Amino acid sequence: MASSVFYFGEIGVNDYIFALFSNRTAEFAASLVPDIVGVTRSALNAVIAAGARTVLVTGMIPLGCEPELLALFPGDAHGESGCITGFNEVAQLHNRALNRMLRELRRSHPGTTLFYADIYSPIANLVASPGKYGFGDRPLAAFCGGGAGPYHFDMAAFCGTPDSTGSSDPSEFLSWDGIHFTDAANRFIAQALLRGLYNASAMAEPQTALL
């Protein structure tokens, strides 16, 4: 346990998405932040108590850039990148609360290194400037899916169903099916994460570094 690195993914992403489906307001989703961060804290305390000494904790993705949500909430306010502003604000609220919680845990467990992995920024950067990172010009569209809209997402023609279609090269897309990332996007995010850890290793307090 002490010689292993534990990776915590973006805990809460499904909670926020299902909350948006059921209530349809960003305010309701935002009200879940304390509970979701509290569950994450409990899970971290459990692995630390079991002997973990190095833990990487991933922040929330920019929810408002998900093709699934963009297609299902066409009337919501969009920012310059084309993402839904209110949903991204929920993710940012989550990430601030998560960082506060991690600072508290570091004080409580000085022998444990807790890294915060900011995956929000790499994804937002990719959406804003896809060509800069080798992606195509449709960062908010799904590679595989259906529907006539700009996001290539339709629950009735979800990826893998008979009515779904795919483009020629998935490496040009951020989203595989409107919900999950493509291999190319996951590789891009992982490289950003690893660069952040490498840079953080030279800092006096590496566990406080953002990627």
Side-chain angles (χ1 to χ4, degrees):
M1 295 287 285
S3 61
S4 300
V5 176
F6 289 81
Y7 177 83
F8 275 56
E10 55 272 24
I11 292 175
V13 63
N14 286 336
D15 300 271
Y16 293 128
I17 289 176
F18 291 143
L20 291 168
F21 285 170
S22 62
N23 186 271
R24 306 189 72 83
T25 67
E27 290 76 15
F28 177 71
S31 72
L32 301 179
V33 168
D35 289 333
I36 292 171
V37 172
V39 167
T40 306
R41 183 187 192 117
S42 296
L44 286 168
N45 276 322
V47 298
I48 293 170
R53 292 296 173 264
T54 306
V55 187
L56 180 68
V57 185
T58 305
M60 187 54 54
I61 62 174
L63 296 166
C65 300
E66 288 285 281
E68 173 189 28
L69 293 177
L70 286 162
L72 295 174
F73 294 87
D76 287 65
H78 292 60
E80 289 184 11
S81 65
C83 301
I84 300 174
T85 303
F87 296 176
N88 277 355
E89 289 173 349
V90 173
Q92 292 166 353
L93 179 67
H94 171 98
N95 290 339
R96 290 193 296 270
L98 183 65
N99 264 301
R100 286 194 298 271
M101 180 270 286
L102 290 175
R103 286 194 292 270
E104 294 170 359
L105 277 188
R106 290 180 191 119
R107 289 192 290 269
S108 301
H109 303 282
T112 302
T113 299
L114 296 171
F115 288 100
Y116 169 72
D118 170 26
I119 64 171
Y120 183 104
S121 296
I123 297 169
N125 290 340
L126 195 160
V127 169
S129 304
K132 179 179 178 180
Y133 304 106
F135 287 77
D137 59 0
R138 300 174 63 200
L140 299 178
F143 161 74
C144 176
Y151 309 115
H152 199 217
F153 182 88
D154 187 336
M155 283 294 191
F158 190 74
C159 185
T161 63
D163 292 332
S164 66
T165 60
S167 300
S168 59
D169 187 358
S171 68
E172 295 183 353
F173 289 80
L174 170 62
S175 178
W176 172 260
D177 56 7
I179 300 173
H180 307 96
F181 295 129
T182 61
D183 284 349
N186 280 322
R187 187 178 302 110
F188 173 82
I189 295 165
Q191 288 170 346
L193 185 152
L194 292 171
R195 281 195 302 271
L197 292 181
Y198 176 80
N199 294 333
S201 66
M203 299 177 65
E205 293 184 90
Q207 66 267 35
T208 67
L210 303 184
L211 300 188

